[in-house]
């Protein structure tokens, strides 16, 4: 890597790219450096606490609602802030990487909100990260129109969706921005660059700087984000409370602290979102050592499973009790060209969204523009002209700690097809991720890092509890790598094999595949798109 610039505390590493200087200005880097100086140590301490708590769960410690925060949960009076401009009606949201064509399609999709995802839907090459920031600047300035290589035109509509930005999680670092040879937390890079360049732009446009926060595990991590927001607003002389953030409840530990997370963020809160795939990943990861937590094929574990029903109903009750929006889980299906297959896919999505709307969710999110109409239609059937259903406080819902982890009612062994599917998803997603693609269409689903995480932790769990034997997995790995190489001669087969063996077949289960894979394979490498 080559040093490009040094500004204040922050050193920029990596190859220069088109228009990078518009993002990596001395002032923006100084802003990120000030956030790093204030919060990097706290972030490190919270990650240490994550590892300690994870070890406790592996040793058999029970999960329960905290007695230390009983007063927060029992206080009937506190509420989160009123919805900010552009976030009152969120009946359908769409998420995707901050790539130029994806951005135009998402903003024009008819969804009320677009979540620009630097987390699970973006392979964090340096080029992707900086170009993602440029995409957001251009979208807000309405300079995003362009003509694609095939002559297709991308033009922004008159009333595009409201923009939310999902920064990377606290566990990740950005090794192309360093302070004293220490990488800056990736969350502060993604948040800081966007906030510095776009907060005023959004306010002037009648919206605001809005965020979707991933991978939080407890109230202390929400408090850290709240303090980041306070300092960022003060540094740029923006009124406190201008920032709004939805939190993805996509870890099993966060499910036990929903009210506390809302309380920590209350002047900046935009509600809570259900995180379908990462939630399953978190549950499997934390209880992979327990034989009674062995889950069957991913496709058979739907949101109607009792432990997932408990989680989503508690989320709606918690949000509406505090005046916050509750957003349902993502629909990842891709409507195909075959009419019969398309209708079948849309029917499944409709059924899923009908359950959410009837349960009291105020909206839901999708991964493909083709799903926006069905999601919007379902929620409009329930909401009518109302922007939400916050008045449905769901006082009938009473969820216990035992119900949140009642996996035994869904537990089971995988099928041979399910094992192969998990190997195939991990292999094909790893290859795409290594080549700079964070969202990949596979077998009618839009797969991202979260689904790859589920695939590899399920394989690890099945091997540990002898639901499948190692020889079978290795044979499937060979077959899937061969098929991948035949279809894509440029595939990085040896790197994919190494990554799979390290993250799915090792003695210990890594917390995330992205952390080591980023350091070993992506740092200093430009994006390569086939």
């Amino acid at each position: 890597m080559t040093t490009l610039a040094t500004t204040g505390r922050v050193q920029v590493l990596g190859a220069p790219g088109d228009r990078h200087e518009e993002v990596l200005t001395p002032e923006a880097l100084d802003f990120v450096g000030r956030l790093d100086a204030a919060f990097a140590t706290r972030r490190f301490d919270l990650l240490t606490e994550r590892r300690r708590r994870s070890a406790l769960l592996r040793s058999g410690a029970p999960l329960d609602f905290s007695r230390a925060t009983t007063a927060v949960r029992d206080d009937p009076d506190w509420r989160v802030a009123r919805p900010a401009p552009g976030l009152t009606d969120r009946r359908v949201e769409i998420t995707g990487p901050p790539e130029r064509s994806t951005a135009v399609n998402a903003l024009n999709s008819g969804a009320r909100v677009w979540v620009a995802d630097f987390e699970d839907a973006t392979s964090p090459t340096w080029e992707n990260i900086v170009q993602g920031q440029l995409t957001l600047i251009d979208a807000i300035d309405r300079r995003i129109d362009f003509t694609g290589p095939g002559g297709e035109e991308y033009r922004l509509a008159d009333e595009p969706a409201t923009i939310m930005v999902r920064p990377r999680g606290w566990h990740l670092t950005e090794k192309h921005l360093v302070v004293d040879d220490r990488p800056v937390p990736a969350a502060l890079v993604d948040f800081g660059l966007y906030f510095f360049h776009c907060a005023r732009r959004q306010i002037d446009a009648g919206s605001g700087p809005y965020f979707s926060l991933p991978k939080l595990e407890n109230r202390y991590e929400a408090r850290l984000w709240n303090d980041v927001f306070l300092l960022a607003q003060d540094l740029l002389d923006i009124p406190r409370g201008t920032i709004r953030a939805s939190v993805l409840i996509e870890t099993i530990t966060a499910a036990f602290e929903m009210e506390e997370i809302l309380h920590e963020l209350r002047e900046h809160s935009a509600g809570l979102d259900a995180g379908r795939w990462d939630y399953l990943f978190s549950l499997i990861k934390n209880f992979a050592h327990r034989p009674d937590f062995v889950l069957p094929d991913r496709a058979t574990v739907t949101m109607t499973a009792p432990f997932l029903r408990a989680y989503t109903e508690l989320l709606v009750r918690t949000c509406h009790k505090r005046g916050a929006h509750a957003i349902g889980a993502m629909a990842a299906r891709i409507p195909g060209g075959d009419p019969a297959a398309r209708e079948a896919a849309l029917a499944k999505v409709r059924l899923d969204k009908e359950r959410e709307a009837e349960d009291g969710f105020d909206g839901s999110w999708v991964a493909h523009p083709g799903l926006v109409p069905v999601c919007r239609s379902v929620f409009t059937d329930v909401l009518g002209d109302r922007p939400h259903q916050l008045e449905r406080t769901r006082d009938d819902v009473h969820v216990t700690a035992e119900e949140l982890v009642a996996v035994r009612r869904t537990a089971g062994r995988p099928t041979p097809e399910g094992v192969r599917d998990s190997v195939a998803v991990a292999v094909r997603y790893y290859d795409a991720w290594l080549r700079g693609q964070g969202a990949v269409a596979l077998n009618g689903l839009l797969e991202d890092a979260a689904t790859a995480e589920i695939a590899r932790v399920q394989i690890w769990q099945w091997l540990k509890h002898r639901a499948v034997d190692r020889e079978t997995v290795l044979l499937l790995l060979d077959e899937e790598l061969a098929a991948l190489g035949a279809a894509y001669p440029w595939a990085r087969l040896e790197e994919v094999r190494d990554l799979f063996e390290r993250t799915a077949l090792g003695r210990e289960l890594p917390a995330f595949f992205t952390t080591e894979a980023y350091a070993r394979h992506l740092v200093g490498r430009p994006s390569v798109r086939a």
Side-chain angles (χ1 to χ4, degrees):
M1 294 184 291
T2 304
T3 301
L4 291 181
T6 301
T7 299
R9 304 177 67 251
V10 180
Q11 187 179 35
V12 183
L13 306 177
D18 183 38
R19 298 177 61 198
H20 281 206
E21 70 281 357
E22 296 179 37
V23 173
L24 305 172
T25 65
E27 297 80 7
L29 294 174
D30 180 67
F31 180 76
V32 171
R34 296 178 76 174
L35 296 179
D36 176 85
F39 301 113
T41 299
R42 270 179 65 186
R43 174 247 179 200
F44 178 84
D45 292 341
L46 287 173
L47 293 181
T48 301
E49 174 59 22
R50 274 192 187 184
R51 291 189 290 271
R52 186 194 70 83
R53 190 174 191 186
S54 180
L56 284 175
L57 292 177
R58 288 196 302 272
S59 69
L63 263 177
D64 205 345
F65 299 101
S66 173
R67 283 185 285 182
T69 54
T70 300
V72 171
R73 295 193 301 274
D74 289 348
D75 182 349
D77 296 328
W78 65 267
R79 298 289 186 275
V80 304
R82 295 176 63 84
L87 296 180
T88 301
D89 188 330
R90 298 169 59 187
R91 66 188 65 202
V92 56
E93 302 186 357
I94 188 168
T95 186
E99 299 169 350
R100 209 165 181 86
S101 60
T102 301
V104 175
N105 288 335
L107 290 166
N108 290 348
S109 66
R112 299 301 178 99
V113 174
W114 171 48
V115 180
D117 187 5
F118 284 91
E119 168 77 4
D120 284 340
T122 295
S123 172
T125 66
W126 182 234
E127 182 69 8
N128 283 350
I129 295 303
V130 181
Q131 287 298 323
Q133 294 287 342
L134 285 165
T135 293
L136 293 167
I137 293 170
D138 287 348
I140 297 167
D141 289 350
R142 302 191 68 88
R143 292 185 287 130
I144 200 171
D145 296 355
F146 72 104
T147 301
E152 62 276 20
E153 292 190 348
Y154 294 86
R155 301 286 181 266
L156 199 60
D158 291 337
E159 296 184 11
T162 297
I163 294 174
M164 271 189 168
V165 171
R166 181 173 298 145
R168 284 168 285 177
W170 284 127
H171 60 292
L172 297 168
T173 59
E174 178 48 72
K175 293 180 179 291
H176 298 92
L177 289 182
V178 300
V179 174
D180 299 329
D181 296 324
R182 172 185 55 77
V184 177
L188 297 181
V189 173
D190 298 341
F191 166 82
L193 291 176
Y194 175 73
F195 188 79
F196 182 86
H197 289 294
C198 297
R200 285 288 179 193
R201 282 178 160 97
Q202 289 285 41
I203 294 167
D204 292 345
S207 183
Y210 305 145
F211 298 91
S212 171
L213 306 180
K215 307 290 193 294
L216 269 65
E217 297 209 356
N218 54 58
R219 62 190 181 276
Y220 301 110
E221 296 181 13
R223 183 180 302 169
L224 175 56
W225 267 119
N226 198 68
D227 289 345
V228 171
F229 296 161
L230 291 173
L231 178 60
Q233 290 166 137
D234 289 349
L235 288 175
L236 296 190
D237 196 26
I238 288 173
R240 291 188 171 193
T242 301
I243 292 174
R244 295 301 170 84
S246 277
V247 173
L248 279 155
I249 301 299
E250 55 183 355
T251 65
I252 184 62
T253 51
F256 285 82
E257 298 190 31
M258 293 189 206
E259 286 200 70
E260 292 89 336
I261 288 170
L262 286 177
H263 187 262
E264 293 291 346
L265 286 161
R266 56 194 180 279
E267 72 172 317
H268 297 114
S269 178
L272 304 177
D273 300 57
R276 180 194 309 262
W277 300 129
D278 265 309
Y279 189 77
L280 277 175
F281 161 54
S282 172
L283 185 138
I284 297 168
K285 177 174 63 175
N286 280 289
F287 296 100
H289 59 289
R290 288 181 49 172
D292 55 328
F293 274 73
V294 176
L295 285 170
D297 304 352
R298 172 179 57 133
T300 67
V301 185
T302 68
M303 295 303 286
T304 61
F307 72 97
L308 291 175
R309 287 287 289 155
Y311 147 68
T312 54
E313 292 206 311
L314 179 61
L315 191 151
V316 173
R317 185 185 190 281
T318 299
C319 285
H320 288 186
K321 178 182 177 182
R322 304 303 181 181
H325 280 76
I327 306 301
M330 185 180 73
R333 294 187 181 277
I334 300 174
D338 176 71
R342 180 181 179 85
E343 286 305 311
L346 292 177
K348 290 181 179 179
V349 171
R350 176 175 291 278
L351 189 63
D352 188 46
K353 300 310 168 190
E354 285 175 345
R355 173 189 51 77
E356 290 180 334
E358 291 164 3
D359 282 350
F361 280 99
D362 303 293
S364 193
W365 45 306
V366 301
H368 191 278
L371 300 181
V372 169
V374 66
C375 184
R376 183 177 57 223
S377 172
V378 166
F379 275 90
T380 299
D381 286 346
V382 172
L383 297 176
D385 294 332
R386 296 176 299 154
H388 49 66
Q389 48 183 335
L390 295 180
E391 75 282 356
R392 288 194 61 197
T393 53
R394 293 304 309 270
D395 295 331
D396 57 306
V397 171
H398 302 281
V399 174
T400 66
E402 292 75 16
E403 288 172 324
L404 283 174
V405 293
V407 176
R408 64 186 179 278
R409 298 174 61 184
T410 311
R413 300 177 73 84
T415 65
E417 295 78 17
V419 177
R420 178 179 287 279
D421 180 70
S422 289
V423 174
V425 166
V427 163
R428 291 178 181 268
Y429 185 82
Y430 284 179
D431 174 64
W433 190 87
L434 291 171
R435 289 186 288 108
Q437 291 179 265
V440 184
L442 294 174
N443 300 322
L445 293 173
L446 194 67
E447 308 284 15
D448 62 14
T451 51
E453 293 283 27
I454 294 175
R456 62 102 184 171
V457 297
Q458 282 208 291
I459 292 165
W460 192 94
Q461 183 188 48
W462 293 335
L463 287 168
K464 178 176 178 61
H465 299 290
R466 296 183 174 84
V468 64
D469 61 83
R470 190 178 182 88
E471 291 72 23
T472 297
V473 172
L474 289 172
L475 177 62
L476 292 173
L477 176 61
D478 288 340
E479 292 176 356
E480 291 300 326
L481 286 170
L484 178 66
Y488 305 102
W490 54 82
R492 298 190 172 114
L493 300 183
E494 290 307 312
E495 291 177 75
V496 172
R497 179 186 292 277
D498 175 71
L499 184 54
F500 185 92
E501 290 176 348
R502 286 175 176 274
T503 59
L505 304 182
R507 184 181 183 89
E508 300 297 328
L509 179 62
F512 298 94
F513 88 80
T514 48
T515 47
E516 184 179 354
Y518 171 71
R520 290 173 64 87
H521 300 290
L522 288 193
V523 176
R525 170 183 285 168
S527 302
V528 179
R529 293 183 184 280

